[in-house]
Amino acid sequence: MSHPQEGNPRKSVLGRSSYPEYLRINEILRKETVGGILLLIAAVAALVWANSPASASYFAIRDFEFGYEPWHLRLSVGAWAADGLLAIFFFLVGLELKREFVAGDLRKLSRAVVPVTAAAGGVLVPALFYVAINLSSPDSLRGWAIPTATDIAFALAVLAVISSHLPSALRIFLLTLAVVDDLIAIGIIAFFYSEDVEFSYLLWMLLPLALFGFLAQKNPKFFGRHLPAAWLILLPIGVAVWILMHASGVHATVAGVLLGFLVPVLRKGRDGNVKLPRPNKPGLAEIFEHRFRPLSTGFAVPVFAFFSAGVAIGGVDGLVSALGDTVTLGILAALILGKPIGILLTTFVLTKTTRANLDPDLRWIDLLGVGLLAGVGFTVSLLVNDLSFAQGTPENDHAKVAILGASLVSALVASVILRSRNKHYRAVLEAEKVDADDDGIPDLFEDRNR
């Protein structure tokens, strides 16, 4: 593998990851792969049930309401899954985002610039595709953000199925891209899909939020060593934050992100100094991530997918009707074309305006495959769809058909491209194993002026 020479004044825009970061990301990839497979199973089960003779029972369960009305908590089962269970998923997103920007490789601008810029392009270009197709239909424009998200679990499940030997640099690039993608999606949900905001509830929400942050920052070792303490002390406070956020009109999943941001990433050594987490000495954020990720990937996200992916297609006539809707066409074009174009275009511009270039072991076709995988939008896309169009409306149903269809097409095309490169990827992986330079992690980009 080739790497920037020491002393070179210009660093590569996406250099090699540190070895601990490499190990940590690989562990996340394995867990997300399992979650993605469960996600696939849940989505298929929902589609089968929703289009079976017993479909009425599926929609009856999904739309059944329960909860305490005075606290604005009388919600349908589907809404509880979207607002409640997905808060766990977004709590982990908050932990991961903070970990990346405080102690991960993204704390360095030279390593953050490519995935951050590529993620921005992968959000902006799909949105432009959707808006362009729906300009003549103003009522449909509300769904502009549906095709902007990447479902990393679903994408990694695709990689697991096709047994792609994707090099470490590309895997890390895909995961980092999805993490930044989630951050942008959170901002979109908070600012564009919050209506009739009650600021009094938001102000009250700050009290338990501050208490949660104070306790987590003050006693990280206590909550890290004593599992019941987190459940008995921090969880009730977190639930209070969620309830007040929900009552305020801001989407309740944002509460999960805010709580994740308040968990400390760095750890205190015996000398009292703040230090970076290590594999054998993790910070509280990493401990919580290990504890709660199985709950998110194994239960919360699959249950949400089950109640959100179910759509009565209506056979051939239903598909024809869906394909005649600009909502469907906009999402299909945005995810299948807009995502890879946005990611490749922004990355290409960076290579032309900086001294960075693709690593000799990789080609633009490899980035195209990753860009197509980023077009596998599912969890957050389904959530934004429900925020854009009321459940049961033609727009909502057609958007679900488009999300599922575009994810399937993106996955298939990406599989063909990445499988065709597997022989080369195996050779790259073998080179990584024997690479004695530093940490053994390859660069995705190298400096032109070596």
Side-chain angles (χ1 to χ4, degrees):
M1 302 291 294
S2 32
H3 306 291
Q5 294 175 354
E6 289 187 16
N8 194 314
R10 297 299 296 270
K11 296 181 179 180
S12 59
V13 292
L14 185 58
R16 69 169 65 217
S17 294
S18 61
Y19 190 60
E21 181 75 355
Y22 166 71
L23 294 177
R24 190 184 71 83
I25 295 245
N26 270 3
E27 179 66 19
I28 292 175
L29 293 176
R30 283 193 290 271
K31 293 177 180 178
E32 291 287 9
T33 299
V34 174
I37 293 171
L38 293 175
L39 200 62
L40 285 168
I41 294 172
V44 171
L47 282 171
V48 171
W49 192 356
N51 290 277
S52 72
S55 60
S57 60
Y58 170 85
F59 294 108
I61 294 173
R62 187 197 69 183
D63 298 333
F64 176 76
E65 294 186 351
F66 67 96
Y68 191 55
E69 178 61 36
W71 288 2
H72 307 281
L73 293 178
R74 184 171 180 80
L75 308 172
S76 67
V77 172
W80 275 110
D83 292 5
L85 291 181
L86 270 197
I88 302 172
F89 166 79
F90 279 101
F91 175 70
L92 285 168
V93 169
L95 291 176
E96 183 62 25
L97 283 168
K98 187 173 181 181
R99 172 66 175 75
E100 285 298 323
F101 286 102
V102 171
D105 285 340
L106 291 187
R107 72 184 188 276
K108 299 178 181 178
L109 180 61
S110 61
R111 288 175 175 165
V113 64
V114 166
V116 169
T117 307
V123 169
L124 178 61
V125 175
L128 292 176
F129 266 72
Y130 182 90
V131 169
I133 292 174
N134 285 273
L135 273 178
S136 60
S137 180
D139 292 340
S140 303
L141 285 177
R142 184 170 171 77
W144 65 270
I146 294 173
T148 58
T150 296
D151 194 312
I152 188 61
F154 218 138
L156 292 173
V158 173
L159 285 179
V161 170
I162 66 176
S163 300
S164 175
H165 299 271
L166 206 63
S168 301
L170 286 176
R171 287 176 178 267
I172 292 172
F173 177 65
L174 176 62
L175 179 62
T176 308
L177 181 76
V179 167
V180 178
D181 203 327
D182 284 339
L183 176 62
I184 297 173
I186 292 161
I188 290 173
I189 291 171
F191 288 103
F192 294 98
Y193 290 94
S194 298
E195 296 180 346
D196 301 324
V197 176
E198 293 283 347
F199 288 99
S200 59
Y201 284 110
L202 279 180
L203 291 174
W204 281 109
M205 182 270 299
L206 294 177
L207 294 178
L209 185 67
L211 179 60
F212 181 96
F214 173 77
L215 293 175
Q217 296 285 339
K218 189 72 174 177
N219 305 287
K221 290 184 178 180
F222 174 73
F223 290 113
R225 292 172 180 171
H226 302 89
L227 177 61
W231 290 102
L232 296 175
I233 299 174
L234 294 182
L235 179 61
I237 299 173
V239 170
V241 173
W242 180 88
I243 291 174
L244 290 167
M245 180 71 80
H246 183 273
S248 74
V250 178
H251 199 265
T253 52
V254 177
V257 181
L258 294 178
L259 293 168
F261 281 163
L262 292 178
V263 177
V265 170
L266 304 177
R267 61 183 182 84
K268 287 186 178 179
R270 293 182 178 179
D271 56 3
N273 294 326
V274 176
K275 300 180 179 180
L276 290 173
R278 294 188 296 178
N280 60 333
K281 293 183 178 180
L284 185 59
E286 198 166 344
I287 292 172
F288 278 4
E289 185 181 322
H290 284 296
R291 287 179 182 173
F292 293 109
R293 190 171 293 279
L295 178 61
S296 174
T297 59
F299 177 72
V301 175
V303 170
F304 162 75
F306 179 77
F307 285 112
S308 190
V311 55
I313 296 174
V316 176
D317 292 339
L319 280 176
V320 171
S321 174
L323 290 174
D325 191 343
T326 55
V327 170
T328 307
L329 297 176
I331 294 172
L332 288 172
L335 286 175
I336 298 171
L337 299 175
K339 268 289 182 182
I341 289 175
I343 291 169
L344 262 70
L345 183 61
T346 50
T347 307
F348 179 78
V349 169
L350 276 176
T351 62
K352 295 303 179 183
T353 56
T354 68
R355 296 180 182 179
N357 218 340
L358 275 179
D359 185 280
D361 287 316
L362 300 175
R363 298 290 182 269
W364 286 104
I365 189 71
D366 301 318
L367 243 63
L368 175 61
V370 171
L372 284 163
L373 270 181
V376 178
F378 195 80
T379 304
V380 180
S381 291
L382 288 173
L383 173 62
V384 176
N385 176 39
D386 288 342
L387 295 175
S388 302
F389 308 115
Q391 282 195 344
T393 61
E395 292 85 358
N396 184 278
D397 289 345
H398 293 168
K400 288 181 181 179
V401 171
I403 292 167
L404 297 172
S407 297
L408 178 61
V409 172
S410 295
L412 290 175
V413 179
S415 299
V416 171
I417 292 174
L418 296 176
R419 286 285 292 179
S420 70
R421 298 277 290 164
N422 251 351
K423 183 177 180 180
H424 175 71
Y425 293 156
R426 288 193 190 98
V428 174
L429 285 174
E430 287 302 317
E432 288 178 18
K433 292 178 183 178
V434 298
D435 189 356
D437 183 13
D438 291 334
D439 47 29
I441 310 302
D443 293 336
L444 180 55
F445 288 82
E446 63 172 355
D447 199 297
R448 281 200 186 110
N449 292 341
R450 298 196 247 195

